[in-house]
Amino acid sequence: MFATATAARASGLADEVEYWASTLLANGYAMIPHAIDRSILDGFHDDLHPHFEAAPFCQGPFYGETTKRFGRVLIRSPHAAAFAQHELILGIARRVLLHEMCNTILLNLTQAIEIHPGAPLQFPHRDQDMFGGPKGGRDYMMNVMWALDDFTDENGATRVWPGSNHSDPHGMLPEADAISAVMPRGSAFLFLGSALHSGGENRSDRPRRGVIFSYCQGWLRPWENPWLAYPPDIARHFNDELAALAGYRQHLPSLGNFEGQCPSVLLHGEVPRHLRFTDALRADQMDMVRQYQREHGSLAVA
Ligand SMILES: O=C(O)CCC(=O)C(=O)O
Ligand SMILES: [Fe+2]
C-alpha cells in the first residue's frame, strides 16, 4: 500500500517535472503559482524583513541604486532550505542542467532583491553571461525568482522576453516584446540562464521584495562563493542535500575535492590530518582505467 502510494507520487512528480521543464525549455521561462506553503512563506518573509531593512542600497547602474540586495540567504532564515530544496524545482533544475558530462548541480546564488519606488527598468541581460563558455543552444544555469510580495506590472515584476533562449545569445530584443512576471506572492518564476530578462520599473509607492535561488551546472564556479558564504561550521548544520547544493559534493571526476575526498568529509566529526585520496570517477572513466590496466597487465586490477 505504502509502496504503491510512493510510486504513484513519484510518477506524479516525474510528470510534473517533465511538464514544467518542457515549458521552460520551450519559452525560456515558466511560472508556478503558489508553489510554497503559506506558513513557510510568511515565516521566511518575517525572518528576512530585518535584513531588508538593514541592507544598504546597491551601488552601480546594474544592481540599481534604488534597489537593495543581500546574499547568504540560507543563513538568514531556517525556512530558506524549503525554497532551495523545493522538490519539484530541484527536479526541473536537474532535468534541464544535467547531462552525461554533468552529474551534479550547485546553488549558483541566493539573493534577496528589494526594488524601491522610483527604480528604473534594469538593463536587460542573460544571467549566464557570467560564465565565459560558448553560448547558444545550451543552458548553464536556471533561476528561480520567488515572489515575497505580489508581483505587479506597477511594482517592478521581473520582465522576460519569451523565446529569447532561442534567439541570438548576444542580441537585444525590442522593449515592447518583454512581458512582466505578474504573480501572487509565494509563486515561483523560473527562467533559464539564456533568457533575456530584467528587473522591472517600480512605479508604485511600495518596495517589491523577491528572492532568487539559482542553480548552475556543478562544474562551474558559482556566482556566490558557497564555501565562504557557508563555511564548514555553518554547513555542518545543513541536511546532506542542502550541503551538497552548497558545494560540499564533488562533481565527477573529483572536481571540488578536499584532500582527495568529498568535501562533505569536513562536515562530520574530526577531520584526520591525512586523508586517503580516493577515486571519484565517472563510470566511463573508471571503465577506461580498468580496461587499460587489463591490457597492460597491471597487478593493481581489482
Ligand atoms: O529583481 C529582478 O526582478 C531581477 C533581477 C535580475 O535579473 C538580476 O539582478 O540579475
Ligand atoms: Fe538577472
Side-chain angles (χ1 to χ4, degrees):
M1 177 69 191
F2 178 73
T4 314
T6 307
R9 190 168 162 275
S11 83
L13 179 66
D15 289 348
E16 267 195 84
V17 165
E18 209 41 54
Y19 169 78
W20 289 110
S22 48
T23 305
L24 182 61
L25 290 167
N27 304 326
Y29 72 94
M31 184 189 298
I32 309 180
H34 300 293
I36 196 104
D37 278 1
R38 185 62 187 262
S39 61
I40 298 177
L41 176 71
D42 290 344
F44 188 50
H45 192 228
D46 287 351
D47 292 341
L48 296 194
H49 178 74
H51 297 287
F52 277 115
E53 295 279 293
F57 283 100
C58 306
Q59 194 175 3
F62 179 76
Y63 285 143
E65 306 209 339
T66 36
T67 296
K68 290 184 170 187
R69 297 174 191 249
F70 56 87
R72 292 193 295 153
V73 175
L74 296 180
I75 61 167
R76 316 280 185 179
S77 166
H79 297 292
F83 292 82
Q85 292 181 270
H86 191 284
E87 197 180 24
L88 173 60
I89 287 174
L90 278 185
I92 299 167
R94 291 193 185 104
R95 164 74 177 72
V96 168
L97 299 175
L98 297 185
H99 54 71
E100 61 178 14
M101 303 294 275
C102 175
N103 43 68
T104 63
I105 57 169
L106 285 174
L107 261 180
N108 180 52
L109 64 85
T110 61
Q111 191 179 121
I113 307 181
E114 185 179 64
I115 298 185
H116 278 245
L121 292 172
Q122 190 192 25
F123 174 73
H125 57 282
R126 294 171 172 84
D127 280 351
Q128 70 181 22
D129 285 347
M130 67 180 75
F131 302 121
K135 305 287 159 33
R138 67 185 83 204
D139 283 289
Y140 295 104
M141 56 174 292
M142 176 190 112
N143 275 323
V144 186
M145 167 62 93
W146 286 92
L148 295 189
D149 292 318
D150 291 339
F151 273 30
T152 68
D153 215 17
E154 289 72 43
N155 75 0
T158 309
R159 301 182 314 150
V160 69
W161 277 258
S164 53
N165 52 318
H166 304 298
S167 68
D168 170 6
H170 307 292
M172 283 299 202
L173 291 167
E175 281 293 315
D177 293 351
I179 59 162
S180 292
V182 172
M183 56 182 171
R185 64 191 293 268
S187 305
F189 183 63
L190 282 56
F191 53 103
L192 295 172
S194 56
L196 190 69
H197 70 281
S198 87
E201 176 182 30
N202 191 341
R203 301 185 302 276
S204 78
D205 56 6
R206 299 191 48 194
R208 183 228 74 180
R209 289 179 174 176
V211 180
I212 294 188
F213 287 83
S214 96
Y215 306 87
C216 65
Q217 294 181 324
W219 56 276
L220 290 164
R221 175 180 182 161
W223 186 90
E224 177 179 47
N225 185 319
W227 305 280
L228 294 178
Y230 313 114
D233 280 349
I234 288 175
R236 74 174 69 242
H237 303 293
F238 292 172
N239 62 49
D240 290 350
E241 184 181 54
L242 189 62
L245 284 168
Y248 292 87
R249 166 170 55 192
Q250 297 175 97
H251 182 279
L252 304 182
S254 300
L255 189 62
N257 74 81
F258 176 83
E259 293 275 14
Q261 291 202 9
C262 179
S264 60
V265 71
L266 294 168
L267 306 183
H268 308 292
E270 194 75 3
V271 184
R273 253 171 90 75
H274 293 98
L275 289 167
R276 187 179 191 192
F277 268 59
T278 303
D279 278 335
L281 304 177
R282 291 196 313 265
D284 62 306
Q285 294 170 322
M286 185 56 101
D287 287 348
M288 283 192 291
V289 173
R290 296 259 190 244
Q291 174 75 13
Y292 181 88
Q293 290 183 327
R294 269 194 300 275
E295 284 171 11
H296 292 80
S298 166
L299 294 175
V301 178

